[in-house]
Amino acid sequence: MNAEYIEKIDETIYTKQLDNGLKILFVKKPEFNKVVASVTTKIGSINNAFKLDGKEYRISDGIAHFLEHKMFEKAEGDTFAKFSMYGGSANAYTSFDHTSYFFSSSAHFEENLNVLLEMMTTPYYTKETVDKEKGIIGEEIKMYQDDSNWILFFETVRNLYANHPISIDIAGTEETIADITAEELYLCYNTFYHPNNSVITIVGNFDEEVAMEAILKYYGTINTKNNFTPISISDTAVHKSSSVVKMDVNNPKCCVGYKQNKEITYDYKRDIAINIYLQMLFGKTSDNYEVLASKGFYPSYSYSEVGNVGFATISSDAVDTKLFFEMVEDLMNQDLNEDDFLIFKNKNIGEIVRNFNTVDSIMKMYTDAFVNEYNINDVLKQVEQLTFEDVCKYAKELFTNGNKTTVVIEGK
Amino acid sequence: MEFKNIDNVKYMYEDEHKFKTARVSFKYSLPIQTETCADLIVLNELMAMSCEKYPTVKLLNRKLSELYDAKVITNLSQKGKLIIFEVAFNYISNKYLPTNLDDEIIRLMNDILTKPNLTNQEYLDTIKQKRILEIEAIYDEKMQYAIKKMKETLDEKQEVLIDVNSTVEAIQLVSLESVNEIYQKLMSEANLTVTINSENSAELMQQISQGISFQVKTNNYDYLHTFEKRDSAVFIEETQNLTQSKLVVGSQLAIEPNDFIAFQVFNGIYGGFPFSRLFSNIREKQSLAYTVYSAFDAALNVMIIIAGIDNGDASQSGEAMLSNIMAALKHECDDIASGNVLAEEIDKSKKMLINSVKTSLDSQAATQLVHYSYGLRNETFSLTEFEKKVNAITIDDVVRMAKCVQFDVTYLLRGDK
């Protein structure tokens, strides 16, 4: 394996890529009790169209999440029970652009890893099990319909994007999952779960020889070709500038969303720059924090880049939603203090070091880096080299009125 | 973990090299009372906002950012009959930085703990407004709301199952005077434990004991709670405009500390883990719930069962769904109580329990909490000892624990969409 020592955080990262394209990444932490291992594939809710062997496919909305559920079920029973036999705690999640399966354990690493890798390489879908799962996922979809914060976020995203699959609920809808078949699941599995679209990450207290032997046993012999091409959609204009949703909520909630008005590819520098800009405007170190708090606003803010789109959200519970929108707009026109920027650099350097505190956050960082194709080992350097001008430039591109939407959730 | 008492302060400290940060936690404990929660929670937040030396949120947070993202974490929680007021400091270890932060951090601890800024009416009003919004927001977090309502019924007199977030009415009454009073009470009447995990914990402990002047006393406060058996079960129902219904069942227990681990093994088989019977039988096999699990709070002696269920449709009414799931929840417990437990189930539960404790020791905050919780009942935590005790649990212990469970209060938040 290739070893790269990161001096500033005193960690060594081991990497390897198999001939079939599978990426492998180990971070050894023998002083921890725990080990986490994950298999991540680049299929999420936005990956709903692709070309394979000259043919175009449009797959059901929500199928990435459906696959995630079905991977645990096998002919001999539920894989959760197998992990439990070895004290492993397993789970999985689906996001906009990837699906990750993982376990954590403090003993029986080899057995748990074998359970994970066997599960990932032996898909099992039948009409009966697929139909049964539709009921379970249907209930999960309904659960989110009662979650006002979830509705607020997705309504904002839908206002920003009419055509892009980012506007599709990660689990799909009861209607879109109704047509999913075992055949469609196999098509998606064979296309997206191929080694050249996946990474195995192991962090914590484990024996790397045992790990590599297990990985080669399950993945080393996969030599099938996989030449799919994702079909991406360009969606640069705001779909709807405002909307109101009625729900059974006690206090109104509101959100301002901004989108990049061009197609993008992930850029760590831009990502961190815009997040620093938001921290400088709305974080506790800004003068604005107290001004907003005095009016009862405690904004949550974030900026994300997913596939070829990037968007920011600023949301809060707010009795006076109109005032919140006005204040956010005023703040967006404010000049930032360059001296503050240096403090924020220190803060972000501290955050990156802190992320190496737990095996889970290390795994999450490296999973994100795999999905977005950047080198995590360089990020400290990138933050150190970031300038105030970079932050202002990126913020100016994103935060313009033409790129904006507003959403209010109010009681019925 | 090493222990030392200096000037009535209990220090627990351990050298730690696996984390990139140092963590120092100051935990003040007092008997929990409904009347003091509101003042304590407001004080807790005020102390994280500013102090005399850094009198605004901006100035304090600038200082923390300068110190490479140092954190002041305040928290108010409950441990049995005690309320725990915590102020913790977490900062990047010196070896990863161009400068040594220990001296500056100890000065900051002293400023925040002993010279708080409790004179700012605007901050007080801001916190009160925020707390009120958060209490009201529980109404929108339907599962949390259902759990809260069940607890209020289970402990009608509100002696122990007290919501530390307090109530809107109590928060409205908080004033600068009452916050100053509760601060004085906390500093003089609470038991104080300082837990230190850092590269040089003994040295840091000495520096803290010399650098900060504490005025606390040592008090003998009761910690564990035991319920008396309830004569009859209670069922409460409320309807809201929801797509799904939430069901919460509370069982008040009188488990002795010697049996805490046995009950945790039982709970693991019943509903505490993903392989448990509630998940595998009620959700996966019978599809009666989209979520279902159980949790045991040893210090409060309460087990809670939580389920999210369908409102019912044309093929099955809401009443039928409810009666089916109640019967299923009861059946799984009775089945274990009758001795119908596989050795494999016990083994899995033990492994999962040990795994969950071992993995929690990979977090600084959780490690400190485990040691602190054992310390509250004058015990010392040892992972080896814990594993030994878990592995000694027998099927008879599990059956005995299952027999202690009764469904005392059932709260149904019925959805009518």
Side-chain angles (χ1 to χ4, degrees), chain A residues 273-305:
Chain A
I274 293 175
N275 274 297
I276 285 181
Y277 181 82
L278 288 168
Q279 288 167 20
M280 291 176 79
L281 272 189
F282 298 107
K284 287 184 175 175
T285 307
S286 74
D287 290 321
N288 308 327
Y289 177 82
E290 290 191 29
V291 178
L292 287 160
S294 70
K295 305 289 180 196
F297 305 136
Y298 297 92
S300 302
Y301 50 87
S302 73
Y303 172 70
S304 311
E305 297 196 352

Short mmCIF file of all heavy atoms in Angstrom, two decimals, chain A residues 273-305:
data_model
loop_
_atom_site.label_atom_id
_atom_site.label_comp_id
_atom_site.label_asym_id
_atom_site.label_seq_id
_atom_site.Cartn_x
_atom_site.Cartn_y
_atom_site.Cartn_z
N ALA A 273 -14.39 28.45 1.33
CA ALA A 273 -14.46 29.92 1.28
C ALA A 273 -15.89 30.39 1.54
O ALA A 273 -16.11 31.33 2.33
CB ALA A 273 -13.98 30.42 -0.09
N ILE A 274 -16.86 29.75 0.91
CA ILE A 274 -18.25 30.19 1.10
C ILE A 274 -18.73 29.86 2.52
O ILE A 274 -19.44 30.65 3.15
CB ILE A 274 -19.17 29.59 0.02
CG1 ILE A 274 -18.79 30.17 -1.34
CG2 ILE A 274 -20.64 29.88 0.32
CD1 ILE A 274 -19.52 29.60 -2.53
N ASN A 275 -18.30 28.73 3.03
CA ASN A 275 -18.68 28.41 4.41
C ASN A 275 -18.07 29.40 5.40
O ASN A 275 -18.71 29.78 6.38
CB ASN A 275 -18.31 26.96 4.75
CG ASN A 275 -19.42 26.00 4.31
OD1 ASN A 275 -20.55 26.08 4.81
ND2 ASN A 275 -19.13 25.13 3.36
N ILE A 276 -16.83 29.84 5.14
CA ILE A 276 -16.22 30.86 6.01
C ILE A 276 -17.00 32.17 5.89
O ILE A 276 -17.26 32.85 6.88
CB ILE A 276 -14.72 31.06 5.66
CG1 ILE A 276 -13.92 29.87 6.20
CG2 ILE A 276 -14.18 32.38 6.24
CD1 ILE A 276 -12.42 29.93 5.94
N TYR A 277 -17.40 32.51 4.68
CA TYR A 277 -18.19 33.73 4.47
C TYR A 277 -19.48 33.69 5.32
O TYR A 277 -19.83 34.66 6.00
CB TYR A 277 -18.54 33.86 2.99
CG TYR A 277 -19.34 35.08 2.63
CD1 TYR A 277 -18.72 36.31 2.43
CD2 TYR A 277 -20.72 35.01 2.49
CE1 TYR A 277 -19.46 37.44 2.11
CE2 TYR A 277 -21.47 36.12 2.17
CZ TYR A 277 -20.84 37.34 1.97
OH TYR A 277 -21.57 38.45 1.65
N LEU A 278 -20.14 32.54 5.30
CA LEU A 278 -21.39 32.40 6.08
C LEU A 278 -21.10 32.49 7.58
O LEU A 278 -21.85 33.09 8.34
CB LEU A 278 -22.09 31.08 5.73
CG LEU A 278 -22.75 31.03 4.36
CD1 LEU A 278 -23.16 29.60 3.99
CD2 LEU A 278 -23.98 31.94 4.30
N GLN A 279 -19.98 31.89 8.00
CA GLN A 279 -19.60 31.98 9.43
C GLN A 279 -19.34 33.44 9.81
O GLN A 279 -19.73 33.89 10.89
CB GLN A 279 -18.31 31.19 9.69
CG GLN A 279 -18.46 29.69 9.66
CD GLN A 279 -17.10 28.98 9.62
OE1 GLN A 279 -16.07 29.55 9.98
NE2 GLN A 279 -17.09 27.73 9.19
N MET A 280 -18.68 34.17 8.90
CA MET A 280 -18.36 35.57 9.20
C MET A 280 -19.62 36.42 9.28
O MET A 280 -19.69 37.39 10.02
CB MET A 280 -17.39 36.14 8.14
CG MET A 280 -16.01 35.53 8.23
SD MET A 280 -14.90 36.09 6.92
CE MET A 280 -14.40 37.69 7.52
N LEU A 281 -20.63 36.06 8.50
CA LEU A 281 -21.87 36.84 8.51
C LEU A 281 -22.81 36.44 9.63
O LEU A 281 -23.44 37.29 10.25
CB LEU A 281 -22.61 36.64 7.18
CG LEU A 281 -22.29 37.56 6.04
CD1 LEU A 281 -23.29 37.33 4.92
CD2 LEU A 281 -22.33 39.03 6.46
N PHE A 282 -22.93 35.13 9.88
CA PHE A 282 -23.99 34.66 10.80
C PHE A 282 -23.47 33.97 12.05
O PHE A 282 -24.24 33.66 12.94
CB PHE A 282 -24.92 33.69 10.06
CG PHE A 282 -25.63 34.31 8.90
CD1 PHE A 282 -25.27 33.99 7.60
CD2 PHE A 282 -26.63 35.23 9.10
CE1 PHE A 282 -25.91 34.58 6.51
CE2 PHE A 282 -27.28 35.83 8.02
CZ PHE A 282 -26.91 35.50 6.72
N GLY A 283 -22.16 33.67 12.10
CA GLY A 283 -21.61 32.95 13.23
C GLY A 283 -21.55 33.79 14.49
O GLY A 283 -21.78 35.02 14.46
N LYS A 284 -21.23 33.15 15.60
CA LYS A 284 -21.25 33.85 16.89
C LYS A 284 -20.16 34.90 17.01
O LYS A 284 -20.20 35.75 17.89
CB LYS A 284 -21.10 32.82 18.02
CG LYS A 284 -22.36 31.99 18.22
CD LYS A 284 -22.21 31.07 19.39
CE LYS A 284 -23.52 30.34 19.64
NZ LYS A 284 -23.38 29.34 20.70
N THR A 285 -19.15 34.84 16.15
CA THR A 285 -18.08 35.83 16.22
C THR A 285 -18.46 37.11 15.48
O THR A 285 -17.74 38.10 15.53
CB THR A 285 -16.79 35.21 15.64
OG1 THR A 285 -16.58 33.98 16.31
CG2 THR A 285 -15.57 36.06 15.86
N SER A 286 -19.56 37.09 14.78
CA SER A 286 -19.95 38.29 14.02
C SER A 286 -20.81 39.21 14.88
O SER A 286 -21.48 38.75 15.82
CB SER A 286 -20.73 37.89 12.76
OG SER A 286 -22.02 37.48 13.13
N ASP A 287 -20.81 40.50 14.56
CA ASP A 287 -21.70 41.44 15.24
C ASP A 287 -23.15 41.09 14.96
O ASP A 287 -24.04 41.34 15.76
CB ASP A 287 -21.44 42.87 14.73
CG ASP A 287 -20.10 43.38 15.19
OD1 ASP A 287 -19.73 43.11 16.34
OD2 ASP A 287 -19.41 44.04 14.38
N ASN A 288 -23.37 40.51 13.80
CA ASN A 288 -24.75 40.24 13.37
C ASN A 288 -25.46 39.22 14.24
O ASN A 288 -26.68 39.22 14.35
CB ASN A 288 -24.75 39.73 11.93
CG ASN A 288 -23.99 40.64 11.02
OD1 ASN A 288 -24.00 41.84 11.24
ND2 ASN A 288 -23.32 40.09 10.02
N TYR A 289 -24.68 38.32 14.86
CA TYR A 289 -25.29 37.26 15.65
C TYR A 289 -26.20 37.86 16.72
O TYR A 289 -27.34 37.44 16.88
CB TYR A 289 -24.20 36.39 16.30
CG TYR A 289 -24.77 35.30 17.18
CD1 TYR A 289 -25.23 34.11 16.64
CD2 TYR A 289 -24.89 35.48 18.56
CE1 TYR A 289 -25.78 33.12 17.44
CE2 TYR A 289 -25.44 34.50 19.36
CZ TYR A 289 -25.88 33.33 18.81
OH TYR A 289 -26.44 32.35 19.60
N GLU A 290 -25.67 38.85 17.42
CA GLU A 290 -26.46 39.43 18.51
C GLU A 290 -27.64 40.22 17.98
O GLU A 290 -28.71 40.24 18.58
CB GLU A 290 -25.59 40.32 19.39
CG GLU A 290 -24.60 39.49 20.18
CD GLU A 290 -23.88 40.29 21.25
OE1 GLU A 290 -24.46 41.26 21.76
OE2 GLU A 290 -22.74 39.93 21.56
N VAL A 291 -27.44 40.86 16.85
CA VAL A 291 -28.54 41.64 16.26
C VAL A 291 -29.69 40.70 15.88
O VAL A 291 -30.85 40.94 16.18
CB VAL A 291 -28.05 42.42 15.01
CG1 VAL A 291 -29.19 43.18 14.37
CG2 VAL A 291 -26.93 43.38 15.40
N LEU A 292 -29.34 39.59 15.24
CA LEU A 292 -30.36 38.62 14.84
C LEU A 292 -31.01 37.98 16.07
O LEU A 292 -32.23 37.81 16.14
CB LEU A 292 -29.74 37.54 13.95
CG LEU A 292 -29.38 37.99 12.53
CD1 LEU A 292 -28.36 37.06 11.90
CD2 LEU A 292 -30.63 38.07 11.65
N ALA A 293 -30.16 37.62 17.06
CA ALA A 293 -30.69 36.97 18.27
C ALA A 293 -31.66 37.89 19.00
O ALA A 293 -32.67 37.43 19.56
CB ALA A 293 -29.54 36.55 19.18
N SER A 294 -31.37 39.18 18.99
CA SER A 294 -32.25 40.12 19.69
C SER A 294 -33.65 40.15 19.08
O SER A 294 -34.61 40.55 19.70
CB SER A 294 -31.64 41.52 19.71
OG SER A 294 -31.68 42.05 18.40
N LYS A 295 -33.74 39.73 17.82
CA LYS A 295 -35.06 39.65 17.16
C LYS A 295 -35.63 38.23 17.21
O LYS A 295 -36.64 37.93 16.57
CB LYS A 295 -34.94 40.06 15.68
CG LYS A 295 -34.32 41.43 15.47
CD LYS A 295 -35.27 42.52 15.91
CE LYS A 295 -34.64 43.90 15.70
NZ LYS A 295 -35.36 44.94 16.43
N GLY A 296 -34.92 37.34 17.91
CA GLY A 296 -35.41 35.96 18.03
C GLY A 296 -34.99 35.05 16.89
O GLY A 296 -35.55 33.97 16.71
N PHE A 297 -33.97 35.45 16.11
CA PHE A 297 -33.52 34.62 14.98
C PHE A 297 -32.20 33.93 15.35
O PHE A 297 -31.24 34.61 15.76
CB PHE A 297 -33.29 35.46 13.72
CG PHE A 297 -34.49 36.28 13.31
CD1 PHE A 297 -34.33 37.61 12.92
CD2 PHE A 297 -35.76 35.73 13.32
CE1 PHE A 297 -35.43 38.37 12.55
CE2 PHE A 297 -36.87 36.49 12.95
CZ PHE A 297 -36.70 37.81 12.57
N TYR A 298 -32.14 32.64 15.18
CA TYR A 298 -30.91 31.88 15.40
C TYR A 298 -30.65 31.08 14.13
O TYR A 298 -31.02 29.91 14.02
CB TYR A 298 -31.04 30.95 16.61
CG TYR A 298 -31.25 31.73 17.87
CD1 TYR A 298 -32.54 32.02 18.32
CD2 TYR A 298 -30.17 32.22 18.58
CE1 TYR A 298 -32.73 32.77 19.46
CE2 TYR A 298 -30.35 32.99 19.72
CZ TYR A 298 -31.64 33.26 20.15
OH TYR A 298 -31.83 34.02 21.26
N PRO A 299 -30.05 31.70 13.12
CA PRO A 299 -29.98 31.04 11.83
C PRO A 299 -29.06 29.82 11.80
O PRO A 299 -28.01 29.81 12.42
CB PRO A 299 -29.41 32.13 10.91
CG PRO A 299 -29.36 33.37 11.69
CD PRO A 299 -29.43 33.01 13.13
N SER A 300 -29.53 28.80 11.08
CA SER A 300 -28.65 27.69 10.71
C SER A 300 -28.25 27.99 9.27
O SER A 300 -29.08 28.44 8.48
CB SER A 300 -29.40 26.36 10.72
OG SER A 300 -29.94 26.14 11.97
N TYR A 301 -27.00 27.73 8.93
CA TYR A 301 -26.58 28.05 7.58
C TYR A 301 -25.65 26.97 7.06
O TYR A 301 -24.95 26.30 7.83
CB TYR A 301 -25.86 29.41 7.56
CG TYR A 301 -24.79 29.54 8.60
CD1 TYR A 301 -23.50 29.11 8.35
CD2 TYR A 301 -25.09 30.07 9.87
CE1 TYR A 301 -22.52 29.20 9.33
CE2 TYR A 301 -24.11 30.15 10.85
CZ TYR A 301 -22.83 29.72 10.57
OH TYR A 301 -21.86 29.80 11.54
N SER A 302 -25.67 26.77 5.76
CA SER A 302 -24.73 25.80 5.18
C SER A 302 -24.60 26.06 3.69
O SER A 302 -25.48 26.67 3.06
CB SER A 302 -25.21 24.37 5.40
OG SER A 302 -26.32 24.10 4.58
N TYR A 303 -23.49 25.61 3.15
CA TYR A 303 -23.29 25.64 1.70
C TYR A 303 -22.86 24.25 1.28
O TYR A 303 -22.02 23.63 1.93
CB TYR A 303 -22.22 26.66 1.31
CG TYR A 303 -21.85 26.57 -0.15
CD1 TYR A 303 -22.76 26.97 -1.13
CD2 TYR A 303 -20.63 26.03 -0.56
CE1 TYR A 303 -22.45 26.85 -2.48
CE2 TYR A 303 -20.31 25.92 -1.90
CZ TYR A 303 -21.23 26.33 -2.86
OH TYR A 303 -20.94 26.20 -4.19
N SER A 304 -23.47 23.71 0.22
CA SER A 304 -23.13 22.36 -0.24
C SER A 304 -22.92 22.35 -1.74
O SER A 304 -23.63 23.06 -2.48
CB SER A 304 -24.27 21.38 0.05
OG SER A 304 -24.70 21.50 1.36
N GLU A 305 -21.98 21.54 -2.18
CA GLU A 305 -21.81 21.28 -3.62
C GLU A 305 -22.09 19.81 -3.85
O GLU A 305 -21.47 18.95 -3.22
CB GLU A 305 -20.40 21.65 -4.06
CG GLU A 305 -20.12 23.13 -3.86
CD GLU A 305 -18.89 23.63 -4.60
OE1 GLU A 305 -18.14 22.81 -5.16
OE2 GLU A 305 -18.70 24.87 -4.62
#
